[in-house]
């Protein structure tokens, strides 16, 4: 067999595999959307769930998902940013750094159920935070931190060392070079990483089941005092998220329209995550263009 | 005679155990252009980078000997590298503007140093870009990204960026080798323009360029300074056989 034929076969196989992947994705997303979208309505998106009756919505779960996401990001982003800057810009290549890197690697490969159970034992039980938004946000931080740190490190890596030399040669200190030259230049790619990880966090269920809890008490959307128990902003209330809700309905849902609610919720979840991905691409590109051209 | 601004005595530099500079004695008078020439790998860049302590960034580098700027030891324990690099600026082989607007590129050093006065910043931008002979080409799009410029324009913006922090010495490492001939001659014109006000030290592989712009030329080989003299003496009447061989293209 000559190399030309070999080449053709190899390319054919690769195309086949790539095609298959796309096909599977399309089929999956298509199925979820087709079976779920008919259920989705303004009413569905804004009303609370019902435990026994037909016609419940996912309003509170949806709000909980976003609130948890924002809290988790507020906690994990500064830490991840600091860690990434230290590791990439300052740390010498020695055993301490290697240890930290290895720890991050291991942390990022922990199954999220394990993170969830650890969160349960530590935050919920030991620190007595109970099933709460706060416990959930901490668990999500554990889940998110390693991935985000890696992604910010990768972003810093895309900035040419010539930029660092340029900054230092101009009489900027190392810190000034990092914060005033490297970080601004890396913003588009950091932002992309943050949004992508937001997508992952948004769809996470296992880490939350035993931390943020599986119940969604009624909220009073007129009460924005975070210290009141029915306030949406109260970080100490249990908060079932959308992903957890889907899991819950499918394992023990007893409302008559459980199947439809599960499909509808799945469609909403998938759409939200797709939007995160599209937003990441769009904003990243836009920002990059703004920085690099007119 | 004008006075010496920068002196190096018995300067040795080791990358790990490899000796890249083998005892360089070379002094620079205030103002004018000095060209550093020599075969590839002879230590020109290494030498240039010892003059504003850019070699500090490379792990495993050891430096002995003295480098003095206006009589002060650049390698003294309490020397401030940040301050040194403000007074001794550097331009690199590859143009490396920051991915910001032309305006921001030029005033970056000043702005970070805390200068907020808009009028003053505007004035510095214009002055620096004029000195770098690129003002006319960019004055209508100062707020567009510097990355949209041609390589030659980028390099001149990088020169302007250095000028804006008002250094006394400007180091350039093969500033034209990544550029086309037209851009190169514009950079040469820029340097000739600046030689009355700044002490300029430039590395070049282009011997014609050295002969066109440099007042003095230093010839390096194998980590040693072979000869330094007025440029015309180096090219017309070199004292050392190695210099003559190199100039006449017999090696390197
Ligand atoms: N970071 C480094 N680590 C180890 N050795 C180095 C390093 N940088 C340069 N060298 C070595 O030091 C010697 C001098 O290098 P240098 O870059 O100063 O030469 P140069 O004269 O500028 O050459 P060129 O004309 O090719 O730019 C070379 O042998 C080179 O291999
Ligand atoms: Mg060199």
């Amino acid at each position: 067999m000559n190399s030309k034929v070999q080449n053709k076969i190899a390319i054919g196989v690769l195309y086949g595999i790539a095609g298959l992947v796309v096909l599977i994705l399309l089929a999956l997303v298509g199925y979820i959307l087709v079976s779920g979208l008919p259920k989705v309505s303004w009413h569905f998106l804004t009303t609370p769930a019902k435990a026994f009756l037909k016609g419940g919505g996912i309003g509170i779960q949806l709000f909980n998902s976003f609130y948890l996401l924002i809290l988790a990001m507020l906690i994990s982003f500064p830490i991840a940013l600091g860690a990434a800057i230290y590791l990439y810009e300052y740390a010498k290549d020695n055993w301490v750094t290697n240890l930290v890197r290895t720890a991050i690697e291991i942390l990022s490969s922990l199954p999220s159920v394990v993170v969830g159970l650890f969160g349960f034992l530590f935050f919920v039980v030991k620190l007595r935070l109970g099933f709460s938004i706060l416990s959930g946000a901490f668990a999500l931080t554990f889940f998110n931190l390693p991935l985000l740190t890696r992604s910010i490190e990768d972003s810093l890596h895309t900035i040419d060392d010539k930029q660092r030399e340029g900054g230092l040669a101009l009489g900027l200190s190392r810190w000034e070079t990092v914060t005033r030259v490297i970080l601004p230049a890396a913003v588009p790619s950091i932002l992309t990483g943050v949004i992508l990880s937001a997508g992952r966090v948004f769809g996470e269920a296992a880490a939350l089941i035993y931390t943020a809890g599986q119940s969604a008490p009624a909220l009073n959307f007129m009460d924005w005092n975070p210290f009141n128990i029915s306030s949406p902003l109260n970080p100490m209330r249990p908060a079932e998220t959308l992903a957890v809700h889907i899991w819950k309905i499918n394992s023990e849902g007893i409302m008559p329209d459980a199947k439809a609610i599960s499909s509808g919720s799945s469609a909403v979840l998938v759409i939200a995550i797709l939007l995160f991905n599209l937003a990441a691409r769009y904003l990243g590109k836009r920002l990059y263009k703004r920085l690099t051209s007119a | 005679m004008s006075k010496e601004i920068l002196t190096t005595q018995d300067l040795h530099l080791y990358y790990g155990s490899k000796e890249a500079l083998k005892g360089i004695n070379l002094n620079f008078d205030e103002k004018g252009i000095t060209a550093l020439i020599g075969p590839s790998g002879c230590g020109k860049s290494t030498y240039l980078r010892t003059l504003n302590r850019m070699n500090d960034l490379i792990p495993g580098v050891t430096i002995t000997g003295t480098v003095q700027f206006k009589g002060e030891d650049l390698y003294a324990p309490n020397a401030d590298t940040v301050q040194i690099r403000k007074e001794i600026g550097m331009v690199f082989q590859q143009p490396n503007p920051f991915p910001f607007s032309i305006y921001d590129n030029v005033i970056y050093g000043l702005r970070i140093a805390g200068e907020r006065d808009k009028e003053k910043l505007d004035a510095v931008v214009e002055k620096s870009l004029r000195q770098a002979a690129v003002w006319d080409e960019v004055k209508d799009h100062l707020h567009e990204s510097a990355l949209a410029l041609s390589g030659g324009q980028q390099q001149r913006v990088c020169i302007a960026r250095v000028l804006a922090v008002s250094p006394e010495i400007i180091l350039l490492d093969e500033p034209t080798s990544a550029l086309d001939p037209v851009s190169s001659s514009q950079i040469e014109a820029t340097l000739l323009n600046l030689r009355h006000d700044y002490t300029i030290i430039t590395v070049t592989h282009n011997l014609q360029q050295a002969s066109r712009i440099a007042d003095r030329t230093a010839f390096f080989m194998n980590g040693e300074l072979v000869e330094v003299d007025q440029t015309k003496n180096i090219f017309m009447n070199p004292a050392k056989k190695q210099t003559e061989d190199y100039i006449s293209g017999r090696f390197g």
Side-chain angles (χ1 to χ4, degrees), chain B residues 44-45 173-174 203:
Chain B
K44 306 179 295 293
S45 300
D173 194 352
E174 302 187 39
V203 171

Side-chain angles (χ1 to χ4, degrees), chain B residues 162-177:
Chain B
V162 169
L163 295 176
V165 287
S166 28
E168 304 211 20
I169 301 180
I170 304 172
L171 310 174
L172 305 100
D173 194 352
E174 302 187 39
T176 64
S177 67

Side-chain angles (χ1 to χ4, degrees), chain A residues 88-90 153 155-169 174 177-178 181-182 185, chain B residues 49 54 57-59 92 94-98 161:
Chain A
Y88 193 79
E89 303 286 345
Y90 285 90
E153 255 197 280
S155 303
L156 295 176
H157 185 71
T158 61
I159 307 301
D160 202 318
D161 277 346
K162 294 198 187 74
Q163 299 283 334
R164 295 181 175 83
E165 282 201 324
L168 293 169
R174 192 139 198 173
T177 305
V178 171
V181 178
I182 305 302
Chain B
R49 292 165 61 95
M54 287 301 279
L57 306 173
I58 301 169
F92 298 84
Q94 291 286 338
N96 60 347
F98 302 134
R161 179 173 80 181

